[in-house]
Amino acid sequence: MRTVLALSIAFIVLFLSVFSTNSQAASQGNKTEINKKQAVELAKKIEDGKTLKITVLNDIYTVRILKSDGHVVDVHVNKKTGEVKKD
């Protein structure tokens, strides 16, 4: 009986998490484009430091960040999807 109850709860949790993920993906399809401020916030989640420059080329923001150790890194943020890639 406990096993059946545990499996039922696990199935419900799994179902709800899949439903939630699909709902978020659908709602993101209706979102407006990411602005520069949001791009900087997303980039700083990946690399901490001081923002030096933000450039836009087609659908990609490039956020140049000066790290505390002196290194400069570029983080690319897709305007439409919010996908973040480090250079």
Side-chain angles (χ1 to χ4, degrees), residues 41-83:
E41 291 171 359
L42 290 169
K44 286 196 167 194
K45 287 181 180 179
I46 303 298
E47 287 291 339
D48 191 34
K50 180 181 177 185
T51 303
L52 297 176
K53 184 178 182 181
I54 306 163
T55 55
V56 183
L57 182 62
N58 298 326
D59 289 337
I60 304 292
Y61 288 111
T62 299
V63 182
R64 183 160 285 170
I65 297 175
L66 174 64
K67 295 174 57 169
S68 61
D69 63 2
H71 287 92
V72 176
V73 294
D74 287 339
V75 179
H76 306 286
V77 181
N78 187 303
K79 284 171 96 174
K80 296 187 187 272
T81 65
E83 180 183 5

